[in-house]
Amino acid sequence: MAKATLEQWRMFKAVVDHGGFAGASAAVHKSQSTVHHAVQKLEGALQVKLLEVKGRKAFLTDNGKLILRRAEFLIEEASKIESVASTLSEGIESTLKIAVDEVFPHSILYQALAKTSELYPLLKIDLVESVLTGANELLSNAVVDLAISSIPVYGISCTKLCDIEFIAVAHKDHPLHQRVEQLNFHDLKLHRQVVVRDSATYTSHNEGWLGADMRWTVSHLRNSIDMVSQNLGYAWLPNTQISHLIEDQTLKALNLEQGTTRTLNLYLMCNDIARLGPAAQEFKKQLIALTNFEFA
């Protein structure tokens, strides 16, 4: 049998996190003597000194530092088990939170949401549009249940959905289309590029050529499409969202020596597939099926 209880491990971690027994007591809503007793029992059961108290502060011993890393993993796994049990006991989740990279085809997304809502009509959908690593950040911070992103995260559930082709385009009357010779990157530097900002708060990731001296940075893909359509610059834009503008000749692909197109892979990710409720599982199934059909 285990010599220590999960509650003792949690109190030990609380003491470390809050720098002493007083702070831990307030954090776990237990008396200071209860927390102190729990840590003492833990040290006695393990026969290892975990903390040294100096004044009102508690400091990890070398052995305590080593054991804390293992304890944090244990506490995190226990939290996951409790979360899964909570999902099972409650049945269908009330809200499904999804972060979606703006380049993902809207028609597929909406169909998957509609099919899921047919089975779970009371399900609330919380949809967050993101760019580049924005979806990853929301998933990492547990703000959303699922994320569609172009930046895969290894070590979690990650399923490739599709490849999105980007095309370098400008308005049909843009000066870049007046040149007979193929365009190089020096030619592009003489004109304004419109780029979309990474929506993540704490990280930043760039995609596409960003060498233009004149550059407008916007927060949403639709702003970039509008600006290029109004002859305010050129950009690499997803073919799925501008094909109608190319067909009606509002936009034209730039005649580049190289790099006219590029491909962005999109992935569906979740931190722990076992923690997804039945509605989230259904949405995941529908999204993958619809994407496979569309991009087959």
Side-chain angles (χ1 to χ4, degrees):
M1 291 182 63
K3 296 180 179 180
T5 67
L6 184 60
E7 189 68 11
Q8 289 169 349
W9 285 119
R10 283 174 169 158
M11 291 191 188
F12 164 57
K13 186 176 184 303
V15 173
V16 175
D17 289 344
H18 297 278
F21 290 94
S25 171
V28 300
H29 307 291
K30 301 283 186 181
S31 69
Q32 194 168 327
S33 61
T34 299
V35 176
H36 197 277
H37 181 65
V39 174
Q40 281 187 326
K41 287 193 67 175
L42 181 61
E43 290 179 325
L46 299 175
Q47 296 185 338
V48 173
K49 189 68 175 174
L50 301 174
L51 296 169
E52 288 181 350
V53 179
K54 299 177 182 178
R56 295 184 178 181
K57 295 285 187 179
F59 300 89
L60 283 167
T61 64
D62 289 340
N63 288 334
K65 291 176 184 177
L66 179 63
I67 289 178
L68 176 64
R69 290 197 291 270
R70 299 285 184 175
E72 287 176 331
F73 175 78
L74 175 66
I75 293 169
E76 183 180 354
E77 288 302 305
S79 178
K80 289 180 180 178
I81 293 172
E82 290 169 357
S83 179
V84 171
S86 176
T87 297
L88 293 174
S89 66
E90 292 176 4
I92 301 167
E93 64 270 42
S94 61
T95 304
L96 176 57
K97 299 179 180 180
I98 312 163
V100 183
D101 193 298
E102 288 188 335
V103 305
F104 186 77
H106 294 164
S107 60
I108 297 176
L109 174 65
Y110 299 157
Q111 286 184 68
L113 290 173
K115 288 179 178 293
T116 303
S117 294
E118 287 176 6
L119 294 176
Y120 305 100
L122 298 180
L123 178 70
K124 300 183 184 71
I125 302 295
D126 189 348
L127 197 63
V128 184
E129 287 188 304
S130 62
V131 178
L132 295 173
T133 59
N136 300 55
E137 184 175 274
L138 292 169
L139 185 65
S140 175
N141 293 334
V143 176
V144 297
D145 306 302
L146 293 163
I148 300 175
S149 171
S150 62
I151 315 295
V153 177
Y154 299 101
I156 66 173
S157 175
C158 184
T159 303
K160 183 178 177 181
L161 290 173
C162 59
D163 299 326
I164 300 296
E165 183 185 57
F166 280 67
I167 307 174
V169 295
H171 188 272
K172 62 181 179 180
D173 296 328
H174 195 282
L176 285 170
H177 291 308
Q178 310 308 315
R179 293 179 59 88
V180 177
E181 304 86 358
Q182 285 187 310
L183 303 169
N184 55 40
F185 289 131
H186 176 73
D187 298 321
L188 296 181
K189 288 188 68 172
L190 302 176
H191 297 271
R192 182 186 301 119
Q193 180 184 3
V194 182
V195 298
V196 183
R197 178 185 296 108
D198 192 322
S199 64
T201 303
Y202 300 107
T203 60
S204 181
H205 186 93
N206 291 326
E207 285 287 346
W209 186 72
L210 299 172
D213 293 327
M214 294 180 288
R215 186 163 74 242
W216 286 3
T217 303
V218 298
S219 297
H220 298 285
L221 179 62
R222 58 182 173 272
N223 298 135
S224 179
I225 295 174
D226 287 344
M227 288 177 175
V228 175
S229 298
Q230 294 180 41
N231 203 9
L232 297 175
Y234 68 89
W236 272 261
L237 298 173
N239 186 37
T240 53
Q241 297 192 33
I242 62 167
S243 58
H244 65 291
L245 296 172
I246 294 177
E247 289 174 5
D248 68 16
Q249 299 185 345
T250 299
L251 302 181
K252 287 178 58 179
L254 295 176
N255 184 25
L256 301 183
E257 289 179 354
Q258 58 181 358
T260 302
T261 65
R262 63 182 178 88
T263 300
L264 199 66
N265 301 323
L266 287 178
Y267 303 86
L268 177 63
M269 301 182 296
C270 67
N271 286 321
D272 187 349
I273 196 168
R275 297 172 68 177
L276 293 180
Q281 295 280 10
E282 179 65 26
F283 171 77
K284 181 174 183 288
K285 183 183 75 173
Q286 292 290 349
L287 189 74
I288 292 172
L290 289 165
T291 305
N292 288 342
F293 178 80
E294 184 70 23
F295 287 87

